[in-house]
Amino acid sequence: MKKTVTTLADGRELLYYDSHDDVVRDAVDRRPLDAVSTSSEIRRDPLLGDSVAIASHRQGRTYHPPADECPLCPSRDGRLSEIPDDQYDVVVFENRFPSLAGDSGRCEVVCFTSDHDASFADLTEEQAALVLEAWTDRTAELAGFEQVKQVFCFENRGAEIGVTLGHPHGQIYAYPFVTPRTELMLRSVEAHRERTGGNLFDDIVARELADGDRVVLTGEHWVAFVPYAAHWPYEVHLHPRRRVPDLRELDEGARTEFAQIYLELLRRFDRIFGPGEPSTPYIAAWHQAPFGVPGREEFGLHLELFTIRRTSGKLKFLAGSESGMSVFINDVPPEAAAQRLREVASE
């Protein structure tokens, strides 16, 4: 992998990640951009104890542009975009409309491919491995920022999820606090250790493998399963068999196999609802250990993949119980979801 660091016309950082070392990246951003002005602010909710990012400047962000005006495509044929070069493998750059900025953290965009009409599932194993390298490199660098407490790599796919740019891309949020979901996990891990002497992540993976009913895919280094208490109609958790706290700690075997396992998982997601159905909307979220907290080494890196579509043509809405009380009601039994994801392997 070759990494090239440059800056955009307004001073934001942009990084090219290339599969080949002989690639030269010297294109200059020729757009007449003003300096980025953000109003991101973190406010803490005194009742719930969680944090909310107030970012009013995001109201003016780019919204569903036509394909020939996509800001994530390469700069070609006289049209200038966020990426100055006329082609790329993987690109990461600071978000022009960040939810978090300065002392409030950092937001980055990850473009998986220059092909506007592709999706992550269309990538080759080599391309998917390069994305993993980019995620890992950004985690390592952002971990060194004094204000950053946790790095979150994720992808939103599909208009139903709320995606405003159709180009295949994801994001990286560097939070200045530990997120509520992660705090809950850390508390559960600590309580499990005190109660049983074991590690909760290890024991969950071992239980799912022993049970087998909810296992979707297995490899030498990874296992994918629908969790026992899945919140979403179709939800899969992907764990490395050797527990590590974050992406930096994956060994070469796990890195190599990840592309194979993850691409197969995404392709099965697109077949859940049968032929002729549109691509399945989903969120793919890496859960990594926060930095500088007790019990960090007990945390287990894993990827959570889920769709808000519950059946053909119908979405799972977060209504009263979910939105008002954070109590999910799942219409699809996890065992049935796992069975369906195993079945679609041959479709």
Side-chain angles (χ1 to χ4, degrees):
M1 179 195 77
K2 181 181 180 181
K3 174 184 173 183
T4 305
V5 182
T6 185
T7 55
L8 297 172
D10 54 11
R12 287 175 295 133
E13 189 174 38
L14 181 143
L15 306 97
Y16 293 97
Y17 293 89
D18 289 291
S19 298
H20 303 288
D21 292 337
D22 58 351
V23 177
V24 177
R25 298 294 184 187
D26 55 7
V28 176
D29 185 5
R30 296 183 283 111
R31 296 173 297 169
L33 297 180
D34 295 328
V36 173
S37 177
T38 64
S39 57
S40 180
E41 176 188 359
I42 302 296
R43 297 185 181 182
R44 189 163 181 82
D45 185 324
L47 283 178
L48 297 179
D50 58 7
S51 298
V52 177
I54 309 297
S56 59
H57 62 278
R58 284 174 53 81
Q59 286 281 33
R61 66 188 185 273
T62 308
Y63 186 81
H64 292 299
D68 60 357
E69 296 180 16
C70 175
L72 306 185
C73 286
S75 293
R76 290 175 181 163
D77 304 322
R79 192 183 71 82
L80 304 178
S81 74
E82 288 280 68
I83 296 91
D85 217 324
D86 62 0
Q87 59 81 32
Y88 62 84
D89 289 347
V90 175
V91 165
V92 177
F93 61 87
E94 288 184 76
N95 198 323
R96 193 176 181 185
F97 303 96
S99 303
L100 309 166
D103 292 340
S104 296
R106 177 161 161 143
C107 292
E108 300 180 341
V109 176
V110 185
C111 298
F112 304 139
T113 171
S114 59
D115 184 354
H116 180 86
D117 297 318
S119 69
F120 201 117
D122 296 323
L123 301 183
T124 65
E125 290 183 11
E126 181 183 34
Q127 290 173 309
L130 184 61
V131 175
L132 178 62
E133 288 297 315
W135 283 331
T136 305
D137 181 75
R138 298 314 301 151
T139 297
E141 183 161 340
L142 293 169
F145 285 36
E146 183 178 357
Q147 73 271 35
V148 173
K149 303 302 181 187
Q150 186 173 358
V151 174
F152 176 45
C153 307
F154 64 100
E155 179 192 1
N156 299 328
R157 203 276 286 269
E160 299 94 328
I161 297 294
V163 174
T164 57
L165 297 176
H167 195 102
H169 73 288
Q171 300 181 65
I172 300 174
Y173 277 19
Y175 295 105
F177 52 81
V178 179
T179 63
R181 287 283 300 276
T182 304
E183 285 186 336
L184 285 173
M185 290 186 211
L186 288 171
R187 288 202 292 270
S188 295
V189 167
E190 182 181 10
H192 185 82
R193 173 67 73 184
E194 292 178 353
R195 186 173 65 253
T196 70
N199 178 271
L200 179 58
F201 288 99
D202 293 345
D203 290 349
I204 287 174
V205 171
R207 183 184 72 176
E208 294 298 343
L209 285 170
D211 186 290
D213 282 351
R214 291 174 295 276
V215 173
V216 176
L217 279 170
T218 59
E220 181 181 353
H221 301 279
W222 295 89
V223 56
F225 56 86
V226 178
Y228 174 76
H231 289 59
W232 298 94
Y234 291 91
E235 173 184 340
V236 177
H237 291 192
L238 179 62
H239 287 251
R241 288 180 182 263
R242 183 180 71 86
R243 175 173 48 84
V244 295
D246 61 39
L247 289 166
R248 298 175 295 178
E249 302 299 322
L250 289 174
D251 58 29
E252 284 306 308
R255 292 186 181 280
T256 299
E257 190 180 77
F258 168 77
Q260 306 162 14
I261 291 282
Y262 188 49
L263 288 173
E264 173 62 20
L265 194 55
L266 290 179
R267 290 162 186 167
R268 291 192 189 190
F269 252 61
D270 270 344
R271 297 196 293 267
I272 291 174
F273 303 105
E277 287 290 323
S279 298
T280 302
Y282 65 73
I283 292 175
W286 278 110
H287 292 276
Q288 303 195 81
F291 310 119
V293 299
R296 182 179 192 280
E297 294 303 315
E298 292 282 296
F299 193 87
L301 167 77
H302 61 287
L303 183 142
E304 180 181 354
L305 176 67
F306 65 89
T307 179
I308 63 171
R309 187 178 293 163
R310 58 186 174 85
T311 188
S312 179
K314 297 179 181 179
L315 301 181
K316 164 64 178 177
F317 292 102
L318 300 189
S321 185
E322 292 89 355
S323 296
M325 285 290 133
S326 293
V327 177
F328 275 69
I329 301 169
N330 189 352
D331 300 327
V332 180
E335 294 75 18
Q339 177 61 32
R340 178 56 184 157
L341 285 162
R342 290 193 295 265
E343 290 173 351
V344 298
S346 58
E347 291 184 1

